[in-house]
């Protein structure tokens, strides 16, 4: 994002000097006095005090795959970043970018940016939070209220698994009986009996 910094003793034209320039709308943002309307991300810039100071295509700001923003100066009167004339620059959060006022100076020279009213502060655009998973339940599938629903394998038309779009294989009676017998036999072990006795004693004492 580029945010306009208004300087004293200048009249501002909201058309030629927009308060904000959103750099996230296009991979490449072209800034100038007469950028082609066919160019996606074209932004009109013009100086009210010095109408010819800004070139038709004065600068381009590219959004890189790394998330950085690269400024490429094209205008005759140049671009200064933090009062220094640049040609190619990776912008950093808080950089002051001045368009114009650097004509006739070599790259790297100090620039008197008070000669141009087109001065912006660059701020790194904040990424929007990912809300694609917001409010989604990450436990059992919708319609399955408990583990017992999964174990019972209720595939009936109105059953919880059917409503959730799930199906479980039907367990035949002999296998079901075998599973029940295995559970019963596990509960008949001395350790299990001792545990149940302890639980019963705790419940009665409370």
């Amino acid at each position: 994002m580029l945010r306009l910094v208004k300087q004293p003793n200048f009249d501002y034209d909201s058309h030629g000097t927009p308060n904000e320039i959103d750099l996230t709308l296009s991979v490449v943002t072209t800034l100038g006095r007469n950028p082609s309307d066919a160019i996606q991300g074209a932004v009109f810039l013009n100086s009210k005090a010095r109408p010819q100071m800004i070139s038709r295509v004065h600068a381009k700001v590219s959004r890189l795959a790394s998330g950085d923003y690269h400024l490429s100066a094209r205008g005759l009167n140049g671009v200064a970043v933090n009062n220094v004339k640049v040609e190619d620059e990776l912008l950093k959060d808080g950089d002051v970018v001045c368009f114009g006022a650097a004509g006739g100076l070599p790259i790297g020279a100090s620039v008197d940016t008070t000669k141009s009213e087109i001065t912006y502060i660059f701020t790194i655009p904040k990424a929007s939070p990912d809300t694609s998973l917001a409010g989604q339940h990450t436990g059992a599938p919708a319609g399955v209220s408990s583990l017992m629903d999964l174990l019972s394998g209720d595939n009936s038309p109105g059953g919880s698994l059917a409503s959730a779009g799930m199906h479980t294989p039907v367990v035949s009676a002999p296998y079901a009986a075998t599973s029940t017998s295995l559970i019963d036999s596990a509960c008949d072990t001395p350790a299990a009996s001792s545990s149940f006795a302890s639980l019963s004693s705790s419940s009665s004492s409370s």
Side-chain angles (χ1 to χ4, degrees):
M1 181 74 72
L2 290 173
R3 300 182 187 277
L4 181 65
V5 180
K6 290 188 176 182
Q7 301 186 46
N9 304 321
F10 280 107
D11 291 328
Y12 283 85
D13 177 6
S14 59
H15 179 56
T17 49
N19 288 325
E20 292 185 348
I21 299 174
D22 191 346
L23 302 175
T24 66
L25 301 179
S26 179
V27 175
V28 179
T29 302
T30 303
L31 307 108
R33 181 164 47 86
N34 188 26
S36 171
D37 292 337
I39 299 176
Q40 185 178 7
V43 175
F44 177 72
L45 283 184
N46 195 25
S47 171
K48 189 174 182 179
R50 300 169 59 192
Q52 300 300 315
M53 181 179 67
I54 300 298
S55 299
R56 287 180 171 83
V57 176
H58 198 89
K60 294 184 178 183
V61 180
S62 305
R63 185 174 73 248
L64 307 181
S66 62
D68 294 320
Y69 285 79
H70 175 265
L71 181 144
S72 176
R74 293 286 185 269
L76 180 64
N77 289 309
V79 178
V81 175
N82 301 326
N83 300 324
V84 175
K85 185 175 182 179
V86 300
E87 186 174 27
D88 292 283
E89 186 81 4
L90 279 179
L91 296 176
K92 300 179 296 297
D93 196 48
D95 278 350
V96 178
V97 184
C98 179
F99 298 90
L105 296 174
I107 302 300
S110 179
V111 177
D112 181 6
T113 56
T114 61
K115 295 180 180 180
S116 171
E117 77 273 30
I118 307 179
T119 301
Y120 288 81
I121 289 183
F122 171 76
T123 57
I124 297 175
K126 296 181 180 179
S128 301
D130 185 3
T131 58
S132 59
L133 297 179
Q136 292 190 14
H137 183 60
T138 57
V144 179
S145 59
S146 69
L147 179 61
M148 292 306 297
D149 292 333
L150 292 172
L151 295 177
S152 64
D154 185 2
N155 290 328
S156 61
S160 58
L161 294 182
S163 63
M166 298 177 61
H167 298 281
T168 58
V170 177
V171 180
S172 61
Y175 292 105
T178 301
S179 300
T180 304
S181 299
L182 289 173
I183 295 172
D184 290 340
S185 61
C187 294
D188 287 337
T189 62
S193 299
S194 176
S195 298
F196 290 145
S198 298
L199 289 173
S200 299
S201 176
S202 298
S203 299
S204 60
S205 61
S206 60

